[in-house]
Amino acid sequence: MSRIRFEWDVESQQIERFDSEDLESKRRRRRNALLLAALIGLLLATIALILLFVRQRIHEVETQYAQLLQDTVKAEVAALRIGDLNSFLNLQDSEDADWINRQRLMFQRYGDLKSSGAIELTGSILAVDIAAEHARALVQEDINKLPYARLWFYRRNGDGWRHVAPDYSFWGEPDSIESSDVLVNFRGADREFARQVSAALQDWIASGCAILDCGDLPKLSVEIDPQATSEIAWMNEPAIRLQIRSPYVDIARADTPFDGRLQLLASRMLAERLIDAHTGELAVAYPHDAYYLRGAAIAWLSEVFTRLDSGAVLMRSLAENYDDDTVARMLTKLYATSDMSILEAALAQPLEGASLDWRDFIEWRLALENELFSARRQNEWLSLYDTSDAQVRQVAYERYSRSESAPDYRVIDQLIWSKPDGGSQLRVTVRARVDSVADEIILFNLVNSVWKRAS
């Protein structure tokens, strides 16, 4: 039995002999593998160091270019500040003759502003963007003690940076801001402007549709484009696409590029769209009171949005002394040839007892008189007078026959009282907007809930 050797014992001894015989080879292979790994590691480390060096060098070059650009901008502002035309023009793109002429005129405008003390050239650089040989810088200047910013474009050549005409291809990468009701598409240079536009429009739509029935209003799409032909316009009305030209094409407020003037323009366009949705795209007829009422409601809603005075004092008094729903009810009842009696229906009370400020309506009526008079539309002109009163009718005919238009009046005061016959009369104090010598008094009688001129 002692001579019997199992097969696995034999194989085990063979494996042990094989392992012991191949141990040196295994060590050599391990050393070779470690050496190869070390060489690969060294190669990778060398590549990493080279890349780091190149990156650092690129960063240093970019920093140098950025510093050179800032130095160029500051030199250009300094030339404007001290009135050095030659130094200013030396920093311009000399290959573009039209640009040189434009910059000469710009230099003169800056000189005029400096002479009047209206501008301070601070030289503050608010932002810089550089891509290869192209760059743009947002430069601040204070006008009438308010911060404004201009976008200046530059191109780099062998002599350094030179101020060039606006480069619309270098306005930044396309981007967008989307909220529940508004999508704003823009490019990088307009990022802050787009953010302010998006926030304002979203808020305006929410507040407007809380007052009016907006129905199934599609999402408002806004395109901010530096090459837009109009400052602000509808691109595709059924889809509600609004195009706004970038304010940096000329000059923008540094802190609020979506400033009060642009807000008034945009808010009126949006207000008109929301009122169209509420009234089912009602087309009002000139010269009926409906024409004024729709326009006044648009101006008032714009005022609700922006908190900026639109001059819509009648609508404002209607909303403040009653409520916003009263304006909405009036618009719901409005038809193409409505007269002012529609306000009585919206208020559900006589107009003579209503707390309303009629000043802007009377100004519109007086201006309408002149328009109808100039167009020689006698019947419509006479309809503005209380022709049921023989004396008023006689005065109206005499005024029309004299062929003299009235001044452009501003209403500065109003008073409603009762006439001896019990009727209501509106006494307004007016002042000519130009060449005013003295205030005048004009009377209006309330006839079938409509104010008719009585003097």
Side-chain angles (χ1 to χ4, degrees):
M1 294 292 292
S2 59
R3 293 180 177 273
I4 298 174
R5 300 174 64 191
F6 293 100
E7 183 178 349
W8 54 81
D9 289 334
V10 175
E11 290 179 354
S12 175
Q13 291 177 6
Q14 290 176 347
I15 291 173
E16 289 176 358
R17 285 198 301 271
F18 176 81
D19 288 345
S20 63
E21 291 172 354
D22 207 45
L23 185 59
E24 187 61 31
S25 297
K26 289 174 65 178
R27 287 174 179 171
R28 284 196 301 271
R29 285 198 301 273
R30 187 178 298 110
R31 283 197 301 269
N32 290 339
L34 290 174
L35 180 58
L36 179 60
L39 290 173
I40 293 173
L42 181 60
L43 178 61
L44 292 176
T46 302
I47 293 173
L49 287 173
I50 292 172
L51 292 175
L52 182 62
F53 174 78
V54 171
R55 181 179 178 183
Q56 180 64 27
R57 182 56 184 159
I58 291 173
H59 176 71
E60 290 175 357
V61 171
E62 289 177 345
T63 301
Q64 291 174 1
Y65 286 150
Q67 185 59 54
L68 181 59
L69 175 63
Q70 294 188 46
D71 292 342
T72 302
V73 173
K74 291 178 180 179
E76 191 172 3
V77 172
L80 286 171
R81 190 185 296 120
I82 64 177
D84 187 346
L85 177 60
N86 290 332
S87 295
F88 177 73
L89 292 180
N90 285 337
L91 295 168
Q92 311 303 313
D93 180 12
S94 59
E95 298 179 1
D96 188 342
D98 180 63
W99 175 246
I100 292 294
N101 290 332
R102 287 162 59 186
Q103 290 301 83
R104 283 181 183 273
L105 294 175
M106 178 65 73
F107 186 89
Q108 293 174 6
R109 285 197 291 270
Y110 274 114
D112 294 339
L113 288 170
K114 287 189 301 175
S115 298
S116 63
I119 192 170
E120 181 183 354
L121 298 169
T122 66
S124 299
I125 301 173
L126 305 178
V128 169
D129 290 277
I130 300 175
E133 71 276 9
H134 298 281
R136 63 177 184 266
L138 192 62
V139 184
Q140 180 176 327
E141 55 191 51
D142 293 349
I143 301 176
N144 296 322
K145 301 188 183 303
L146 294 175
Y148 284 82
R150 290 187 188 273
L151 200 58
W152 289 355
F153 288 83
Y154 294 84
R155 186 171 61 244
R156 182 169 48 81
N157 55 30
D159 297 329
W161 294 103
R162 291 292 180 267
H163 194 166
V164 298
D167 183 358
Y168 299 118
S169 67
F170 187 56
W171 212 265
E173 293 299 316
D175 205 344
S176 64
I177 300 174
E178 187 169 9
S179 59
S180 58
D181 297 308
V182 183
L183 171 64
V184 179
N185 297 311
F186 63 95
R187 291 168 64 187
D190 289 307
R191 184 172 304 280
E192 178 58 21
F193 177 61
R195 187 192 65 78
Q196 293 182 15
V197 168
S198 175
L201 291 176
Q202 178 64 36
D203 180 62
W204 295 350
I205 290 174
S207 58
C209 292
I211 298 170
L212 305 174
D213 178 10
C214 295
D216 187 17
L217 192 72
K219 176 173 287 194
L220 172 61
S221 177
V222 180
E223 304 289 333
I224 299 174
D225 186 354
Q227 295 180 281
T229 55
S230 300
E231 189 169 31
I232 181 168
W234 291 111
M235 295 173 63
N236 186 330
E237 297 204 12
I240 316 189
R241 294 182 63 207
L242 190 65
Q243 185 181 63
I244 305 177
R245 185 167 59 218
S246 168
Y248 296 112
V249 169
D250 184 20
I251 190 170
R253 278 287 298 268
D255 51 348
T256 54
F258 191 42
D259 61 13
R261 189 183 62 81
L262 272 174
Q263 286 187 33
L264 280 176
L265 292 174
S267 63
R268 282 180 180 260
M269 296 184 77
L270 179 62
E272 183 175 13
R273 181 49 54 91
L274 297 186
I275 286 175
D276 281 346
H278 181 82
T279 60
E281 307 285 339
L282 174 69
V284 292
Y286 174 89
H288 294 276
D289 290 346
Y291 187 86
Y292 158 81
L293 288 167
R294 179 178 180 273
I298 290 170
W300 167 78
L301 192 57
S302 166
E303 187 173 293
V304 171
F305 294 160
T306 64
R307 300 295 187 266
L308 298 172
D309 186 0
S310 67
V313 294
L314 176 57
M315 287 296 137
R316 188 191 309 154
S317 65
L318 183 65
E320 289 179 352
N321 296 330
Y322 300 93
D323 54 49
D324 294 347
D325 290 342
T326 308
V327 179
R329 286 197 302 275
M330 182 274 296
L331 289 169
T332 301
K333 297 176 180 295
L334 193 67
Y335 55 93
T337 58
S338 291
D339 59 29
M340 198 53 66
S341 64
I342 197 170
L343 281 184
E344 193 169 81
L347 288 168
Q349 72 173 75
L351 284 186
E352 53 262 43
S355 299
L356 296 174
D357 189 336
W358 297 96
R359 287 176 297 160
D360 65 315
F361 170 67
I362 296 301
E363 286 180 3
W364 177 78
R365 272 293 187 84
L366 294 173
L368 180 61
E369 272 194 50
N370 281 343
E371 292 171 10
L372 296 176
F373 177 82
S374 297
R376 308 308 290 172
R377 297 166 68 168
Q378 182 176 4
N379 291 337
E380 291 168 313
W381 187 86
L382 284 173
S383 71
L384 303 179
Y385 283 76
D386 181 10
T387 54
S388 64
D389 185 313
Q391 185 176 356
V392 174
R393 186 169 60 250
Q394 181 64 30
V395 169
Y397 280 127
E398 291 176 357
R399 181 172 292 144
Y400 193 84
S401 64
R402 287 197 299 268
S403 298
E404 296 177 359
S405 61
D408 181 15
Y409 285 121
R410 178 168 62 91
V411 178
I412 60 176
D413 196 14
Q414 71 169 36
L415 176 65
I416 298 177
W417 59 5
S418 294
K419 298 188 298 180
D421 62 5
S424 295
Q425 190 170 74
L426 175 63
R427 178 183 184 272
V428 297
T429 304
V430 300
R431 182 177 300 162
R433 295 183 188 273
V434 295
D435 301 328
S436 178
V437 177
D439 296 344
E440 300 178 43
I441 302 297
I442 301 179
L443 303 176
F444 291 81
N445 292 336
L446 192 62
V447 181
N448 297 325
S449 300
V450 178
W451 292 114
K452 302 278 189 175
R453 185 164 177 173
S455 68

